[in-house]
Coordinates of all heavy atoms in Angstrom, one line a residue:
G1404 N -23.7 6.7 -17.4 CA -23.2 6.5 -18.7 C -22.9 5.0 -18.9 O -23.1 4.5 -20.1
I1405 N -22.3 4.3 -17.8 CA -21.9 2.9 -18.0 C -23.2 2.1 -18.2 O -23.3 1.1 -19.1 CB -21.2 2.4 -16.7 CG1 -19.8 3.1 -16.7 CG2 -21.1 0.9 -16.7 CD1 -19.0 2.9 -15.4
G1406 N -24.3 2.4 -17.4 CA -25.5 1.6 -17.6 C -26.1 1.7 -18.9 O -26.6 0.8 -19.6
A1407 N -26.2 3.0 -19.4 CA -26.6 3.2 -20.8 C -25.8 2.5 -21.9 O -26.4 1.9 -22.9 CB -26.8 4.7 -21.1
R1408 N -24.5 2.6 -21.8 CA -23.7 2.0 -22.8 C -23.8 0.5 -22.9 O -23.9 -0.1 -24.0 CB -22.2 2.2 -22.5 CG -21.1 1.4 -22.9 CD -21.0 1.4 -24.5 NE -20.1 0.5 -24.9 CZ -20.2 -0.9 -25.1 NH1 -21.4 -1.3 -24.9 NH2 -19.2 -1.6 -25.6
F1409 N -23.9 -0.2 -21.6 CA -24.1 -1.6 -21.7 C -25.6 -2.1 -21.7 O -25.8 -3.3 -21.5 CB -23.4 -2.2 -20.6 CG -21.9 -2.1 -20.6 CD1 -21.1 -1.1 -19.9 CD2 -21.2 -2.9 -21.4 CE1 -19.8 -1.0 -20.1 CE2 -19.8 -3.0 -21.7 CZ -19.1 -1.9 -21.0
E1410 N -26.5 -1.1 -21.8 CA -27.9 -1.4 -21.7 C -28.5 -2.3 -20.5 O -29.1 -3.3 -20.7 CB -28.2 -2.2 -23.0 CG -28.1 -1.5 -24.3 CD -28.4 -2.3 -25.5 OE1 -28.3 -3.4 -25.5 OE2 -28.6 -1.6 -26.6
S1411 N -27.9 -1.9 -19.4 CA -28.2 -2.6 -18.0 C -28.4 -1.8 -17.0 O -27.5 -1.2 -16.4 CB -26.9 -3.6 -17.8 OG -27.0 -4.1 -16.6
P1412 N -29.7 -1.8 -16.6 CA -30.1 -0.9 -15.3 C -29.4 -1.6 -14.1 O -29.0 -0.8 -13.2 CB -31.6 -1.1 -15.2 CG -32.0 -1.3 -16.7 CD -30.9 -2.2 -17.3
F1413 N -29.1 -2.9 -14.0 CA -28.4 -3.6 -12.9 C -27.0 -3.0 -12.7 O -26.6 -2.9 -11.7 CB -28.6 -5.0 -13.1 CG -27.8 -5.8 -12.1 CD1 -28.2 -5.9 -10.7 CD2 -26.5 -6.3 -12.3 CE1 -27.4 -6.6 -9.7 CE2 -25.8 -6.9 -11.3 CZ -26.3 -7.0 -10.0
L1414 N -26.3 -3.0 -13.9 CA -25.0 -2.6 -13.9 C -24.9 -1.1 -13.5 O -24.0 -0.7 -12.7 CB -24.3 -2.8 -15.3 CG -22.9 -2.4 -15.4 CD1 -22.0 -3.1 -14.5 CD2 -22.4 -2.5 -16.9
R1415 N -25.9 -0.3 -13.9 CA -25.9 1.1 -13.5 C -26.1 1.1 -11.9 O -25.3 1.9 -11.3 CB -27.2 1.8 -14.1 CG -27.3 3.2 -13.6 CD -28.6 3.9 -14.3 NE -28.7 5.2 -13.8 CZ -29.7 6.0 -14.2 NH1 -30.6 5.5 -15.1 NH2 -29.8 7.3 -13.7
I1416 N -26.9 0.4 -11.3 CA -26.9 0.4 -9.9 C -25.8 -0.2 -9.2 O -25.3 0.4 -8.2 CB -28.2 -0.5 -9.5 CG1 -29.5 0.2 -10.0 CG2 -28.3 -0.8 -8.0 CD1 -30.8 -0.8 -9.7
L1417 N -25.1 -1.1 -9.7 CA -23.9 -1.8 -9.2 C -22.8 -0.7 -9.3 O -22.1 -0.5 -8.2 CB -23.6 -3.0 -9.9 CG -22.3 -3.8 -9.4 CD1 -22.6 -4.3 -8.0 CD2 -22.1 -5.0 -10.3
C1418 N -22.7 -0.1 -10.4 CA -21.6 0.9 -10.5 C -21.9 2.1 -9.5 O -21.0 2.7 -9.0 CB -21.5 1.4 -11.9 SG -20.7 0.2 -13.0
G1419 N -23.2 2.4 -9.5 CA -23.5 3.6 -8.4 C -23.2 3.3 -7.2 O -22.7 4.1 -6.4
I1420 N -23.4 2.0 -6.7 CA -23.1 1.7 -5.2 C -21.6 1.6 -5.0 O -21.1 2.2 -4.1 CB -23.7 0.2 -4.9 CG1 -25.3 0.4 -4.9 CG2 -23.2 -0.3 -3.6 CD1 -25.9 -1.0 -4.8
V1421 N -20.9 1.0 -6.0 CA -19.3 1.0 -5.8 C -18.8 2.4 -5.7 O -17.9 2.8 -5.0 CB -18.7 0.1 -6.9 CG1 -17.3 0.1 -6.9 CG2 -19.2 -1.4 -6.8
G1422 N -19.2 3.1 -6.8 CA -18.7 4.5 -6.9 C -18.9 5.4 -5.7 O -18.2 6.1 -5.1
A1423 N -20.3 5.5 -5.3 CA -20.7 6.1 -4.2 C -20.1 5.9 -2.9 O -19.5 6.8 -2.2 CB -22.2 6.1 -4.0
F1424 N -19.8 4.6 -2.5 CA -19.2 4.4 -1.3 C -17.8 4.5 -1.3 O -17.1 4.6 -0.4 CB -19.7 2.8 -0.9 CG -21.1 2.9 -0.3 CD1 -22.2 2.6 -1.0 CD2 -21.4 3.3 1.1 CE1 -23.5 2.6 -0.6 CE2 -22.5 3.4 1.6 CZ -23.7 3.0 0.8
A1425 N -17.1 4.3 -2.5 CA -15.6 4.7 -2.6 C -15.4 6.1 -2.3 O -14.6 6.5 -1.7 CB -15.1 4.3 -3.9
V1426 N -16.3 6.9 -2.8 CA -16.3 8.5 -2.8 C -16.6 8.7 -1.2 O -16.0 9.6 -0.7 CB -17.2 9.1 -3.6 CG1 -17.2 10.6 -3.4 CG2 -16.8 8.9 -5.1
I1427 N -17.6 8.2 -0.6 CA -17.8 8.4 0.7 C -16.6 8.0 1.6 O -16.3 8.7 2.5 CB -19.1 7.6 1.3 CG1 -20.3 8.2 0.6 CG2 -19.2 7.7 2.8 CD1 -21.5 7.4 0.9
G1428 N -15.9 7.0 1.3 CA -14.8 6.4 2.0 C -13.5 7.5 1.8 O -13.0 7.9 2.8
N1429 N -13.5 8.0 0.6 CA -12.5 9.2 0.4 C -12.8 10.4 1.2 O -12.0 11.2 1.7 CB -12.5 9.5 -1.1 CG -11.2 10.2 -1.5 OD1 -10.6 10.8 -0.6 ND2 -11.1 10.4 -2.7
S1430 N -14.2 10.6 1.3 CA -14.6 11.8 2.1 C -14.2 11.8 3.6 O -14.2 12.8 4.3 CB -16.2 12.1 2.0 OG -16.9 11.1 2.8
L1431 N -14.0 10.5 4.1 CA -13.7 10.4 5.5 C -12.2 11.1 5.7 O -11.9 11.7 6.8 CB -13.5 8.9 5.9 CG -14.8 8.1 5.7 CD1 -14.5 6.7 6.3 CD2 -15.9 8.7 6.4
V1432 N -11.4 11.1 4.7 CA -10.0 11.8 4.8 C -10.2 13.3 5.2 O -9.6 13.8 6.0 CB -9.4 11.5 3.5 CG1 -7.9 12.3 3.4 CG2 -9.0 10.0 3.1
Q1433 N -11.2 13.8 4.4 CA -11.5 15.2 4.6 C -11.9 15.6 6.0 O -11.7 16.5 6.7 CB -12.4 15.8 3.5 CG -12.0 15.2 2.1 CD -10.6 15.1 1.6 OE1 -9.8 15.8 2.0 NE2 -10.3 14.0 0.9
V1434 N -13.0 14.8 6.4 CA -13.7 15.0 7.6 C -12.7 14.8 8.8 O -12.8 15.7 9.7 CB -14.9 14.1 7.7 CG1 -15.6 14.3 9.0 CG2 -15.9 14.4 6.6
I1435 N -11.9 13.8 8.8 CA -11.1 13.5 9.8 C -10.0 14.6 9.9 O -9.5 15.1 11.0 CB -10.4 12.1 9.7 CG1 -11.5 11.0 9.9 CG2 -9.2 11.9 10.7 CD1 -10.9 9.5 9.5
G1436 N -9.6 15.0 8.7 CA -8.5 16.1 8.6 C -9.1 17.4 9.2 O -8.4 18.0 9.9
S1437 N -10.4 17.7 8.9 CA -11.0 18.8 9.5 C -11.1 18.7 11.0 O -10.9 19.8 11.8 CB -12.5 19.0 9.0 OG -12.5 19.1 7.6
G1438 N -11.4 17.6 11.5 CA -11.3 17.4 13.1 C -10.0 17.7 13.6 O -9.9 18.3 14.6
N1439 N -9.0 17.1 12.9 CA -7.6 17.3 13.5 C -7.2 18.9 13.5 O -6.6 19.2 14.3 CB -6.5 16.6 12.5 CG -6.5 15.2 12.9 OD1 -6.4 14.8 14.1 ND2 -6.4 14.4 11.8
I1440 N -7.6 19.6 12.4 CA -7.4 21.0 12.4 C -7.9 21.8 13.6 O -7.2 22.5 14.4 CB -7.9 21.7 11.2 CG1 -7.2 21.0 9.9 CG2 -7.6 23.2 11.1 CD1 -7.9 21.3 8.7
L1441 N -9.2 21.6 13.9 CA -9.8 22.3 15.0 C -9.5 21.8 16.3 O -9.2 22.6 17.3 CB -11.3 22.2 14.8 CG -12.0 22.9 13.6 CD1 -13.5 22.8 13.7 CD2 -11.5 24.3 13.5
Y1442 N -9.0 20.6 16.4 CA -8.4 20.0 17.7 C -7.2 20.7 18.0 O -7.0 21.1 19.2 CB -8.4 18.4 17.6 CG -7.6 17.8 18.7 CD1 -8.5 17.6 19.9 CD2 -6.3 17.4 18.6 CE1 -7.7 16.9 20.9 CE2 -5.6 17.0 19.9 CZ -6.5 16.7 20.8 OH -5.9 16.1 22.0
V1443 N -6.2 20.7 17.0 CA -4.9 21.3 17.2 C -5.1 22.8 17.6 O -4.3 23.3 18.4 CB -4.1 21.0 16.1 CG1 -2.7 21.8 16.2 CG2 -3.8 19.5 16.0
M1444 N -5.9 23.5 16.8 CA -5.9 24.9 16.7 C -6.6 25.4 18.1 O -6.3 26.4 18.6 CB -6.8 25.5 15.5 CG -6.0 25.4 14.3 SD -4.6 26.5 14.3 CE -4.2 26.6 12.6
S1445 N -7.5 24.6 18.6 CA -8.1 25.0 19.9 C -7.4 24.4 21.1 O -7.9 24.4 22.3 CB -9.6 24.4 19.9 OG -9.5 23.0 19.9
H1446 N -6.2 23.9 21.0 CA -5.4 23.3 21.9 C -6.0 22.2 22.7 O -5.9 22.1 23.9 CB -4.9 24.3 22.9 CG -4.3 25.6 22.3 ND1 -3.0 25.6 21.8 CD2 -4.8 26.9 21.9 CE1 -2.6 26.7 21.3 NE2 -3.7 27.5 21.4
G1447 N -6.9 21.5 21.9 CA -7.5 20.4 22.5 C -9.0 20.6 23.1 O -9.7 19.7 23.5
A1448 N -9.3 21.8 23.1 CA -10.5 22.2 23.7 C -11.8 21.7 22.8 O -12.8 21.4 23.3 CB -10.6 23.8 23.7
I1449 N -11.7 21.6 21.6 CA -12.5 21.1 20.7 C -12.3 19.7 20.3 O -11.2 19.5 19.6 CB -12.8 22.0 19.4 CG1 -13.4 23.3 19.7 CG2 -13.7 21.3 18.4 CD1 -13.6 24.2 18.5
P1450 N -12.8 18.7 20.8 CA -12.5 17.2 20.5 C -12.6 17.0 19.0 O -13.4 17.7 18.2 CB -13.5 16.5 21.4 CG -14.6 17.5 21.7 CD -14.0 18.8 21.7
L1451 N -12.1 15.9 18.6 CA -12.2 15.4 17.2 C -13.6 15.4 16.7 O -14.0 15.9 15.6 CB -11.3 14.2 16.9 CG -9.9 14.4 17.1 CD1 -9.2 13.0 17.0 CD2 -9.2 15.3 16.0
W1452 N -14.5 14.7 17.4 CA -15.9 14.5 17.0 C -16.6 15.8 16.8 O -17.4 16.0 15.9 CB -16.6 13.6 18.0 CG -16.9 14.3 19.3 CD1 -16.1 14.1 20.4 CD2 -18.0 15.1 19.7 NE1 -16.7 14.8 21.4 CE2 -17.9 15.4 21.0 CE3 -19.0 15.5 19.0 CZ2 -18.8 16.2 21.7 CZ3 -20.0 16.4 19.6 CH2 -19.9 16.6 21.0
L1453 N -16.4 16.8 17.7 CA -17.0 18.1 17.6 C -16.6 18.9 16.3 O -17.3 19.5 15.6 CB -16.9 18.9 18.8 CG -17.6 20.2 19.0 CD1 -19.1 20.1 18.6 CD2 -17.5 20.9 20.3

Side-chain angles (χ1 to χ4, degrees):
I1405 292 171
R1408 157 64 182 87
F1409 290 102
E1410 301 177 332
S1411 173
F1413 174 76
L1414 180 60
R1415 176 181 178 180
I1416 292 173
L1417 183 60
C1418 290
I1420 293 172
V1421 172
F1424 282 95
V1426 174
I1427 289 173
N1429 196 347
S1430 74
L1431 302 186
V1432 176
Q1433 325 313 329
V1434 178
I1435 294 170
S1437 300
N1439 276 316
I1440 297 163
L1441 295 187
Y1442 174 80
V1443 174
M1444 287 298 194
S1445 67
H1446 307 282
I1449 296 180
L1451 291 174
W1452 68 266
L1453 180 56

